Amino acid sequence: MEKYLFILRNSSFFSGMTDAEILSVLHCVEGRVIQRKAGEYILRAGESTQEMGMVLSGTLLISQTDLWGHRNIMSKCRPGDFFAEPYAATPGSVLNISVSAEEDSDILMLNTGRLLTTCPTACSHHSRLVRNLVSVMAGKVLLFNDKITHMSRRTTREKLLSYLSAEAIRQGRLSFDIPFDRQQLADYLCVERSAMSAELSRLKKEGLLETRNSHFELNADYSPEENL
């Protein structure tokens, strides 16, 4: 576990804790590392789990797929990101998401039941971890609130502009990379890829943006309302 300490100590979940405290509390919550190859699942919809996960290396996709195979990407997890916290903290709840590896990944699994149970030694770092968990879950709520904001727009164009504007503001610059490829972006915004690609081409011709693969550069002097 020591080789992952750099990632752990820089995670908000372990904020304010020394390396020794991190290793100690990982023992308290039965921390274990698993490996998954690209395309393999960590968790599947319909299952239950007592564990939440943290990405140590690689990337994961959090998604929902209906009976007809339509995929809705909820988010992408990179090193330091967490997943499945609400399900693990609610005994008996059934997952309505699946978690899969986009690339070969190492994942830290934590027993949330042990985390939410008072530590026998009443260690202060265990209590701090519980407080940090609340902060992590609050951050996840904000991320999903952003997704709802984008999806609530009526047209593909409006969804794209909402998402790209939010990313520019979040990253603090007009030239930025997004975490999704084209198909993943379409799945995230719940639109058809062909319609999204056509809209991106129109926006580029209108001078609102330049794009190449997952890189975007927005024109702040452009007024999108004139073309909605």
Side-chain angles (χ1 to χ4, degrees):
M1 193 69 71
E2 286 80 359
K3 69 177 182 178
Y4 300 112
L5 276 173
F6 175 78
I7 297 173
L8 298 176
R9 75 168 70 99
N10 285 282
S11 166
S12 59
F13 189 59
F14 296 101
S15 176
M17 300 175 64
T18 66
D19 289 356
E21 289 174 337
I22 291 173
L23 293 174
S24 175
V25 81
L26 285 177
H27 177 73
C28 290
V29 298
E30 300 176 348
R32 63 189 182 96
V33 177
I34 62 174
Q35 289 81 37
R36 290 294 184 269
K37 298 291 186 182
E40 293 183 342
Y41 284 90
I42 296 90
L43 297 170
R44 290 177 181 267
E47 299 176 341
S48 294
T49 182
Q50 295 180 333
E51 295 178 306
M52 57 184 281
M54 174 185 178
V55 183
L56 298 173
S57 68
T59 56
L60 309 181
L61 289 177
I62 313 297
S63 62
Q64 296 175 324
T65 304
D66 65 21
L67 290 173
W68 298 275
H70 302 127
R71 184 175 67 163
N72 172 18
I73 291 181
M74 307 300 291
S75 63
K76 179 179 286 192
C77 294
R78 293 179 169 177
D81 291 338
F82 287 86
F83 61 89
E85 314 95 292
Y87 302 96
T90 310
S93 62
V94 177
L95 291 162
N96 70 343
I97 59 167
S98 292
V99 184
S100 59
E102 183 183 30
E103 57 187 4
D104 294 355
S105 304
D106 293 345
I107 305 107
L108 173 65
M109 303 301 293
L110 305 169
N111 188 314
T112 309
R114 289 290 301 272
L115 171 62
L116 297 177
T117 301
T118 303
C119 180
T121 59
C123 55
S124 60
H125 44 278
H126 189 119
S127 300
R128 185 179 299 115
L129 198 64
V130 174
R131 294 194 296 271
N132 290 347
L133 174 61
V134 174
S135 178
V136 168
M137 295 180 70
K140 190 66 65 67
V141 169
L142 294 177
L143 287 176
F144 286 131
N145 182 65
D146 287 343
K147 178 176 170 65
I148 292 171
T149 297
H150 309 323
M151 290 179 58
S152 68
R153 306 305 186 192
R154 293 179 178 272
T155 66
T156 297
R157 182 189 185 95
E158 290 174 326
K159 290 179 181 181
L160 276 168
L161 293 178
S162 176
Y163 173 73
L164 294 174
S165 174
E167 279 297 300
I169 293 171
R170 185 181 68 83
Q171 298 190 37
R173 55 184 183 271
L174 296 176
S175 181
F176 55 88
D177 293 320
I178 66 172
F180 304 121
D181 61 28
R182 286 289 190 268
Q183 184 60 59
Q184 292 171 351
L185 178 58
D187 291 342
Y188 177 78
L189 295 175
C190 295
V191 298
E192 292 292 335
R193 177 176 176 173
S194 58
M196 184 190 74
S197 296
E199 197 60 65
L200 283 172
S201 295
R202 282 191 287 270
L203 291 170
K204 186 175 180 179
K205 289 178 181 178
E206 293 170 12
L208 188 146
L209 57 80
E210 291 292 333
T211 179
R212 180 179 175 83
N213 298 324
S214 296
H215 182 79
F216 287 82
E217 185 169 347
L218 304 186
N219 178 3
D221 296 326
Y222 180 88
S223 179
E225 289 79 6
E226 296 175 1
N227 294 278
L228 290 177

